[in-house]
Amino acid sequence: MTPSCRHGHPAWQGIFMRLFIVIAVFCCVLLTPRFAQASDRTWRDTSNIGRDALVIAALGTPLVQEDWQGALQASGSVGAATLVSLGLKDIFPETRPDGSDRRSFPSTHTATSFAAAATLQNRYGWKVGLPAHLVATIVGISRVQGTKHHWYDVAAGALLGEASGLLLTTRRNNNIRMLPWSDGQGGGIAMALRF
């Protein structure tokens, strides 16, 4: 039997409803005219703080839990996303919206943030991953609003980070393991269960 709330709804529906309300309120605050007219420096600071907080959470959470494999996977995921995005900046020079340089594509802040968020989600579940992805999204929005990146720079960074986090991180539960695979004719995800 599924546990239910006071109103007869399953407990998970109550959790989703609360999360939806928190996200909706947060988005309303983000979209207020005062916040939308913030200076480029405010947006830059927001993206730096968000990125740094996610990296600290992705590396710190497994260290606090003495989950050495998780710490190694988080390091690999965040490091790979950061290095690949920096390499792509040299291959595809793109002028930033503010004209400061030609290192706009892809957004390294966003790639790093989404790698950390995807690592947290894949390793510890959606209760950690959902707030982490919300913060990563704010980092991406901040990079566009601060005129450091075009929307497509941020989208590419998010895809790169998400792929890095999902491909290089495994669930903490060792009884279930999902691994990507490919050969010359296709690819997919193999799942192994241990009973």
Side-chain angles (χ1 to χ4, degrees):
M1 177 160 203
T2 305
S4 57
C5 298
R6 289 180 271 164
H7 308 292
H9 294 82
W12 60 268
Q13 286 180 339
I15 293 169
F16 281 119
M17 183 57 82
R18 284 186 213 108
L19 285 172
F20 175 76
I21 291 169
V22 168
I23 291 169
V25 168
F26 188 75
C27 288
C28 288
V29 169
L30 255 184
L31 298 175
T32 61
R34 186 178 138 246
F35 200 88
Q37 294 173 359
S39 70
D40 287 350
R41 181 169 187 224
T42 301
W43 288 113
R44 186 187 69 229
D45 291 346
T46 300
S47 67
N48 287 339
I49 291 167
R51 178 205 54 201
D52 294 348
L54 284 169
V55 170
I56 290 168
L59 297 174
T61 301
L63 289 175
V64 167
Q65 297 180 5
E66 297 182 0
D67 175 14
W68 310 122
Q69 183 180 8
L72 184 62
Q73 290 176 2
S75 298
S77 171
V78 170
T82 302
L83 291 174
V84 169
S85 70
L86 290 172
L88 289 172
K89 286 177 182 292
D90 292 332
I91 296 169
F92 301 105
E94 170 85 29
T95 303
R96 291 184 188 272
D98 67 0
S100 62
D101 61 33
R102 293 180 49 85
R103 297 187 54 80
S104 185
F105 181 84
S107 169
T108 302
H109 274 74
T110 309
T112 302
S113 298
F114 272 89
T119 294
L120 287 166
Q121 164 127 10
N122 204 30
R123 189 81 178 156
Y124 302 107
W126 70 270
K127 289 181 183 178
V128 175
L130 183 65
H133 276 91
L134 180 61
V135 173
T137 301
I138 292 167
V139 169
I141 291 169
S142 297
R143 298 306 285 172
V144 173
Q145 292 296 323
T147 66
K148 289 310 238 178
H149 291 286
H150 304 280
W151 69 267
Y152 50 87
D153 302 332
V154 168
L159 285 172
L160 176 63
E162 197 71 23
S164 175
L166 292 176
L167 292 174
L168 299 177
T169 310
T170 58
R171 282 257 181 245
R172 181 144 192 215
N173 181 352
N174 291 331
N175 293 330
I176 301 172
R177 191 167 211 146
M178 296 178 73
L179 301 168
W181 64 271
S182 69
D183 59 21
Q185 299 184 2
I189 295 178
M191 187 163 102
L193 302 171
R194 187 170 60 191
F195 297 96

